[in-house]
mmCIF file of all heavy atoms in Angstrom:
data_model
loop_
_atom_site.group_PDB
_atom_site.id
_atom_site.type_symbol
_atom_site.label_atom_id
_atom_site.label_comp_id
_atom_site.label_asym_id
_atom_site.label_seq_id
_atom_site.Cartn_x
_atom_site.Cartn_y
_atom_site.Cartn_z
ATOM 1 N N LEU A 55 -4.820 19.401 19.684
ATOM 2 C CA LEU A 55 -4.127 20.536 19.112
ATOM 3 C C LEU A 55 -4.913 21.038 17.894
ATOM 4 O O LEU A 55 -5.009 22.261 17.693
ATOM 5 C CB LEU A 55 -2.710 20.110 18.712
ATOM 6 C CG LEU A 55 -1.735 19.969 19.816
ATOM 7 C CD1 LEU A 55 -0.451 19.237 19.320
ATOM 8 C CD2 LEU A 55 -1.366 21.278 20.471
ATOM 9 N N ILE A 56 -5.477 20.165 17.104
ATOM 10 C CA ILE A 56 -6.256 20.550 16.005
ATOM 11 C C ILE A 56 -7.529 21.315 16.455
ATOM 12 O O ILE A 56 -7.906 22.355 15.874
ATOM 13 C CB ILE A 56 -6.679 19.336 15.102
ATOM 14 C CG1 ILE A 56 -5.427 18.759 14.432
ATOM 15 C CG2 ILE A 56 -7.719 19.705 14.076
ATOM 16 C CD1 ILE A 56 -5.685 17.474 13.679
ATOM 17 N N GLU A 57 -8.179 20.809 17.492
ATOM 18 C CA GLU A 57 -9.353 21.499 18.071
ATOM 19 C C GLU A 57 -9.002 22.915 18.489
ATOM 20 O O GLU A 57 -9.740 23.862 18.214
ATOM 21 C CB GLU A 57 -9.870 20.708 19.267
ATOM 22 C CG GLU A 57 -10.423 19.345 18.933
ATOM 23 C CD GLU A 57 -11.949 19.413 18.722
ATOM 24 O OE1 GLU A 57 -12.476 20.506 18.661
ATOM 25 O OE2 GLU A 57 -12.577 18.319 18.597
ATOM 26 N N LYS A 58 -7.884 23.071 19.195
ATOM 27 C CA LYS A 58 -7.461 24.385 19.684
ATOM 28 C C LYS A 58 -7.124 25.301 18.552
ATOM 29 O O LYS A 58 -7.482 26.474 18.514
ATOM 30 C CB LYS A 58 -6.292 24.245 20.651
ATOM 31 C CG LYS A 58 -5.919 25.602 21.258
ATOM 32 C CD LYS A 58 -4.981 25.398 22.441
ATOM 33 C CE LYS A 58 -4.536 26.752 23.019
ATOM 34 N NZ LYS A 58 -5.701 27.629 23.347
ATOM 35 N N PHE A 59 -6.426 24.760 17.518
ATOM 36 C CA PHE A 59 -6.079 25.561 16.371
ATOM 37 C C PHE A 59 -7.304 26.030 15.627
ATOM 38 O O PHE A 59 -7.408 27.197 15.210
ATOM 39 C CB PHE A 59 -5.170 24.705 15.451
ATOM 40 C CG PHE A 59 -4.551 25.446 14.291
ATOM 41 C CD1 PHE A 59 -3.904 26.639 14.489
ATOM 42 C CD2 PHE A 59 -4.618 24.949 12.968
ATOM 43 C CE1 PHE A 59 -3.330 27.312 13.440
ATOM 44 C CE2 PHE A 59 -4.058 25.630 11.931
ATOM 45 C CZ PHE A 59 -3.393 26.817 12.115
ATOM 46 N N ALA A 60 -8.318 25.177 15.505
ATOM 47 C CA ALA A 60 -9.606 25.548 14.841
ATOM 48 C C ALA A 60 -10.313 26.598 15.629
ATOM 49 O O ALA A 60 -10.899 27.538 15.041
ATOM 50 C CB ALA A 60 -10.465 24.265 14.638
ATOM 51 N N ALA A 61 -10.267 26.475 16.970
ATOM 52 C CA ALA A 61 -10.952 27.457 17.811
ATOM 53 C C ALA A 61 -10.328 28.868 17.671
ATOM 54 O O ALA A 61 -10.957 29.904 17.890
ATOM 55 C CB ALA A 61 -10.869 27.018 19.294
ATOM 56 N N GLU A 62 -9.038 28.879 17.293
ATOM 57 C CA GLU A 62 -8.323 30.147 17.073
ATOM 58 C C GLU A 62 -8.453 30.634 15.658
ATOM 59 O O GLU A 62 -7.801 31.665 15.283
ATOM 60 C CB GLU A 62 -6.863 29.971 17.488
ATOM 61 C CG GLU A 62 -6.634 29.666 18.976
ATOM 62 C CD GLU A 62 -5.199 29.299 19.287
ATOM 63 O OE1 GLU A 62 -4.423 29.132 18.338
ATOM 64 O OE2 GLU A 62 -4.893 29.176 20.474
ATOM 65 N N GLY A 63 -9.216 29.916 14.815
ATOM 66 C CA GLY A 63 -9.403 30.392 13.439
ATOM 67 C C GLY A 63 -8.500 29.755 12.434
ATOM 68 O O GLY A 63 -8.488 30.145 11.270
ATOM 69 N N GLY A 64 -7.728 28.738 12.867
ATOM 70 C CA GLY A 64 -6.818 28.055 11.944
ATOM 71 C C GLY A 64 -7.371 26.809 11.333
ATOM 72 O O GLY A 64 -8.386 26.274 11.820
ATOM 73 N N VAL A 65 -6.797 26.354 10.222
ATOM 74 C CA VAL A 65 -7.207 25.127 9.556
ATOM 75 C C VAL A 65 -5.997 24.176 9.449
ATOM 76 O O VAL A 65 -4.951 24.576 8.905
ATOM 77 C CB VAL A 65 -7.792 25.386 8.149
ATOM 78 C CG1 VAL A 65 -8.084 24.065 7.464
ATOM 79 C CG2 VAL A 65 -9.023 26.262 8.280
ATOM 80 N N PHE A 66 -6.147 22.967 9.980
ATOM 81 C CA PHE A 66 -5.162 21.947 9.832
ATOM 82 C C PHE A 66 -5.514 21.022 8.644
ATOM 83 O O PHE A 66 -6.701 20.663 8.483
ATOM 84 C CB PHE A 66 -5.082 21.072 11.122
ATOM 85 C CG PHE A 66 -4.044 20.032 11.056
ATOM 86 C CD1 PHE A 66 -2.754 20.331 11.450
ATOM 87 C CD2 PHE A 66 -4.366 18.742 10.646
ATOM 88 C CE1 PHE A 66 -1.765 19.311 11.448
ATOM 89 C CE2 PHE A 66 -3.362 17.731 10.620
ATOM 90 C CZ PHE A 66 -2.074 18.036 11.012
ATOM 91 N N ALA A 67 -4.537 20.740 7.822
ATOM 92 C CA ALA A 67 -4.811 19.935 6.637
ATOM 93 C C ALA A 67 -3.843 18.757 6.540
ATOM 94 O O ALA A 67 -2.667 18.984 6.151
ATOM 95 C CB ALA A 67 -4.736 20.771 5.359
ATOM 96 N N PRO A 68 -4.247 17.538 6.884
ATOM 97 C CA PRO A 68 -3.362 16.410 6.544
ATOM 98 C C PRO A 68 -3.189 16.350 5.064
ATOM 99 O O PRO A 68 -4.136 16.487 4.269
ATOM 100 C CB PRO A 68 -4.186 15.195 7.098
ATOM 101 C CG PRO A 68 -5.612 15.669 7.177
ATOM 102 C CD PRO A 68 -5.541 17.128 7.482
ATOM 103 N N ALA A 69 -1.939 16.114 4.627
ATOM 104 C CA ALA A 69 -1.593 16.092 3.199
ATOM 105 C C ALA A 69 -0.838 14.841 2.941
ATOM 106 O O ALA A 69 0.296 14.661 3.318
ATOM 107 C CB ALA A 69 -0.778 17.304 2.873
ATOM 108 N N SER A 70 -1.522 13.879 2.251
ATOM 109 C CA SER A 70 -1.001 12.536 2.140
ATOM 110 C C SER A 70 -1.227 11.904 0.783
ATOM 111 O O SER A 70 -2.086 12.384 -0.025
ATOM 112 C CB SER A 70 -1.670 11.679 3.210
ATOM 113 O OG SER A 70 -1.349 10.319 3.137
ATOM 114 N N GLY A 71 -0.459 10.847 0.500
ATOM 115 C CA GLY A 71 -0.758 10.050 -0.669
ATOM 116 C C GLY A 71 -1.954 9.129 -0.455
ATOM 117 O O GLY A 71 -2.414 8.489 -1.384
ATOM 118 N N ARG A 72 -2.447 9.081 0.766
ATOM 119 C CA ARG A 72 -3.593 8.220 1.093
ATOM 120 C C ARG A 72 -4.882 8.749 0.432
ATOM 121 O O ARG A 72 -4.968 9.890 0.059
ATOM 122 C CB ARG A 72 -3.841 8.147 2.598
ATOM 123 C CG ARG A 72 -2.646 7.557 3.392
ATOM 124 C CD ARG A 72 -3.025 7.376 4.802
ATOM 125 N NE ARG A 72 -1.901 6.964 5.670
ATOM 126 C CZ ARG A 72 -2.048 6.304 6.807
ATOM 127 N NH1 ARG A 72 -3.242 5.921 7.219
ATOM 128 N NH2 ARG A 72 -0.988 6.004 7.552
ATOM 129 N N GLN A 73 -5.868 7.882 0.344
ATOM 130 C CA GLN A 73 -7.132 8.266 -0.248
ATOM 131 C C GLN A 73 -7.980 9.052 0.715
ATOM 132 O O GLN A 73 -7.795 9.026 1.970
ATOM 133 C CB GLN A 73 -7.926 6.993 -0.701
ATOM 134 C CG GLN A 73 -8.284 6.091 0.451
ATOM 135 C CD GLN A 73 -9.178 4.954 0.011
ATOM 136 O OE1 GLN A 73 -9.488 4.090 0.844
ATOM 137 N NE2 GLN A 73 -9.601 4.834 -1.219
ATOM 138 N N LEU A 74 -8.949 9.804 0.142
ATOM 139 C CA LEU A 74 -9.849 10.625 0.961
ATOM 140 C C LEU A 74 -10.651 9.841 2.021
ATOM 141 O O LEU A 74 -10.660 10.244 3.169
ATOM 142 C CB LEU A 74 -10.755 11.416 0.073
ATOM 143 C CG LEU A 74 -11.782 12.301 0.801
ATOM 144 C CD1 LEU A 74 -11.082 13.399 1.583
ATOM 145 C CD2 LEU A 74 -12.740 12.951 -0.213
ATOM 146 N N PRO A 75 -11.258 8.708 1.648
ATOM 147 C CA PRO A 75 -12.017 7.967 2.718
ATOM 148 C C PRO A 75 -11.152 7.535 3.853
ATOM 149 O O PRO A 75 -11.541 7.571 5.040
ATOM 150 C CB PRO A 75 -12.568 6.780 1.946
ATOM 151 C CG PRO A 75 -12.658 7.205 0.524
ATOM 152 C CD PRO A 75 -11.463 8.125 0.314
ATOM 153 N N ASN A 76 -9.918 7.139 3.595
ATOM 154 C CA ASN A 76 -8.981 6.732 4.642
ATOM 155 C C ASN A 76 -8.629 7.874 5.561
ATOM 156 O O ASN A 76 -8.594 7.722 6.760
ATOM 157 C CB ASN A 76 -7.716 6.105 3.991
ATOM 158 C CG ASN A 76 -6.688 5.646 5.056
ATOM 159 O OD1 ASN A 76 -5.861 6.410 5.441
ATOM 160 N ND2 ASN A 76 -6.831 4.440 5.483
ATOM 161 N N LEU A 77 -8.347 9.023 4.952
ATOM 162 C CA LEU A 77 -7.999 10.186 5.773
ATOM 163 C C LEU A 77 -9.164 10.714 6.588
ATOM 164 O O LEU A 77 -8.978 11.132 7.762
ATOM 165 C CB LEU A 77 -7.463 11.302 4.854
ATOM 166 C CG LEU A 77 -6.136 11.006 4.196
ATOM 167 C CD1 LEU A 77 -5.821 11.981 3.112
ATOM 168 C CD2 LEU A 77 -4.979 10.902 5.201
ATOM 169 N N LEU A 78 -10.380 10.724 6.045
ATOM 170 C CA LEU A 78 -11.534 11.104 6.817
ATOM 171 C C LEU A 78 -11.798 10.172 7.987
ATOM 172 O O LEU A 78 -12.225 10.603 9.060
ATOM 173 C CB LEU A 78 -12.740 11.203 5.912
ATOM 174 C CG LEU A 78 -12.735 12.376 4.889
ATOM 175 C CD1 LEU A 78 -13.969 12.281 3.987
ATOM 176 C CD2 LEU A 78 -12.661 13.742 5.595
ATOM 177 N N LYS A 79 -11.541 8.878 7.766
ATOM 178 C CA LYS A 79 -11.688 7.935 8.854
ATOM 179 C C LYS A 79 -10.649 8.118 9.921
ATOM 180 O O LYS A 79 -10.946 8.134 11.121
ATOM 181 C CB LYS A 79 -11.622 6.514 8.284
ATOM 182 C CG LYS A 79 -11.750 5.400 9.322
ATOM 183 C CD LYS A 79 -11.636 4.022 8.671
ATOM 184 C CE LYS A 79 -11.735 2.918 9.718
ATOM 185 N NZ LYS A 79 -11.668 1.549 9.067
#
Side-chain angles (χ1 to χ4, degrees):
L55 287 168
I56 291 174
E57 292 267 8
K58 184 166 178 55
F59 189 48
E62 295 173 352
V65 175
F66 182 87
S70 173
R72 300 188 187 204
Q73 65 175 174
L74 179 61
N76 179 270
L77 292 169
L78 290 176
K79 180 180 179 180

